[in-house]
Amino acid sequence: MPSLAPVNGLSVDVEDWFQVGAFETVINRENWESLRTRVERNCDAILAMFADAGVHGTFFTLGWVAERHPGLIRRIVDQGHEIASHGWDHARVFRMDRATFANDLAISRKAIEDAAGVAVTGYRAPSFSIDARTPWAHQELAAQGYAYSSSVAPVAHDHYGWREAPRFAFHPLAGSDFVEIPVTTALFAGRRLAAGGGGFFRVLPYAFSRWAIRQVNREGRPAVFYFHPWEIDPEQPRVEDAPLRSRFRHYTNLDVMADKLRQLIGEFAWGRMDALAAIEARAASRLAA
Ligand SMILES: [Zn+2]
């Protein structure tokens, strides 16, 4: 890539294999404590991968995880990465009211900051669940002092998406510098395709993500990429009674994910989301009131 290509946002959504939205109908929230945790070993593998490549990124972490794994949170911070919030226990924002969301933000931030010893200024909604149904969500984030959110998927998808939202950074609130940085989409035949990572990156050929990020960078904008610790873990316990489509999405290509990530990290320029937010805030559009 030419050296003038934008630095893209590298992010990890820190949750364990049993906390994903795809399994919420078959794994009871009350049983989480009894399940075998894999998040710490998987995050340590990711930290080693990032260190080998000399890149830094942002770890959007559940408060539930931070409370139980404070040593992991400190290692993330000590190695120069940004620690940010992914909410308390992966409840989707559009299933809360504003007061519930305010409490979810406050308790998760406290758990993360207590473990990290540094301030949290970034937030990613579980399952990109800020959309047209939650006009109060960005207001609440700004009111609690967050600088940015990366919580919108500006596409139509079966589980999430705010298809009318801007593709790139925008200021959702009048008179506020608070910025939302949507996850990356690429344009194909006039349609937006989700291209920011997760299952799409893992299931589709690497060439799709390369094409999408190159397209976004040619538009002069950074890509926002995300993945999960369980995605590099072929040995995680199998949830046999989950719906077939959920199992397909969750288990395909776990064994090749780490190599794909190394290729991606080596091919493009990457950095933390807070740094990207500061740059993108200057280029951000304003949502019409
Ligand atoms: Zn998540």
Side-chain angles (χ1 to χ4, degrees), residues 18-278:
F18 49 83
Q19 295 172 316
V20 302
F23 294 154
E24 67 187 356
T25 57
V26 288
I27 297 178
N28 197 322
R29 170 74 178 72
E30 278 71 54
N31 295 335
W32 282 6
E33 297 286 357
S34 66
L35 295 169
R36 192 152 51 91
T37 179
R38 308 274 295 173
V39 69
E40 190 148 353
R41 70 179 288 286
N42 291 336
C43 280
D44 281 335
I46 291 165
L47 287 172
M49 181 192 299
F50 286 4
D52 285 345
V55 298
H56 292 106
T58 294
F59 289 70
F60 293 103
T61 303
L62 292 183
W64 194 96
V65 169
E67 188 176 67
R68 286 160 182 80
H69 303 277
L72 170 65
I73 305 307
R74 279 192 294 275
R75 288 198 294 284
I76 289 169
V77 172
D78 287 348
Q79 294 182 35
H81 305 288
E82 180 191 7
I83 193 82
S85 175
H86 196 36
W88 179 256
D89 63 356
H90 220 264
R92 291 174 175 80
V93 178
F94 57 66
R95 292 195 183 145
M96 303 184 208
D97 58 19
R98 181 167 178 167
T100 308
F101 179 57
N103 182 61
D104 186 279
L105 282 181
I107 60 172
S108 46
R109 184 184 210 161
K110 182 169 189 327
I112 296 165
E113 291 185 345
D114 283 353
V118 297
V120 165
T121 64
Y123 174 76
R124 169 163 293 148
S127 305
F128 299 102
S129 54
I130 289 181
D131 60 25
R133 288 169 287 184
T134 58
W136 37 263
H138 285 132
Q139 294 169 15
E140 187 58 38
L141 283 159
Q144 293 200 21
Y146 284 82
Y148 78 93
S149 156
S150 179
S151 303
V152 167
V155 289
H157 181 273
D158 59 348
H159 291 311
Y160 57 78
W162 180 2
R163 69 163 83 189
E164 301 84 10
R167 285 179 61 221
F168 296 115
F170 61 95
H171 296 296
L173 305 171
S176 168
D177 289 333
F178 178 85
V179 65
E180 166 64 40
I181 306 168
V183 68
T184 288
T185 57
L187 294 178
F188 184 75
R191 290 191 54 202
R192 295 178 180 184
L193 305 178
F200 295 96
F201 176 77
R202 185 163 38 84
V203 173
L204 298 175
Y206 175 76
F208 170 77
S209 293
R210 175 199 279 141
W211 165 80
I213 294 171
R214 282 181 177 169
Q215 182 193 83
V216 167
N217 286 174
R218 272 199 302 272
E219 295 177 76
R221 303 304 286 263
V224 173
F225 182 83
Y226 73 98
F227 67 102
H228 306 89
W230 55 264
E231 290 189 278
I232 61 158
D233 183 9
E235 266 101 62
Q236 67 189 280
R238 289 296 193 269
V239 183
E240 300 296 350
D241 47 353
L244 184 61
R245 192 161 67 160
S246 298
R247 275 186 287 147
F248 173 77
R249 282 183 182 173
H250 192 91
Y251 296 126
T252 298
N253 286 345
L254 296 175
D255 52 340
V256 299
M257 182 69 171
D259 283 340
K260 269 175 131 170
L261 284 169
R262 275 187 277 271
Q263 187 171 2
L264 181 81
I265 289 167
E267 184 160 358
F268 296 94
W270 299 99
R272 291 163 48 139
M273 290 293 296
D274 54 354
L276 186 149

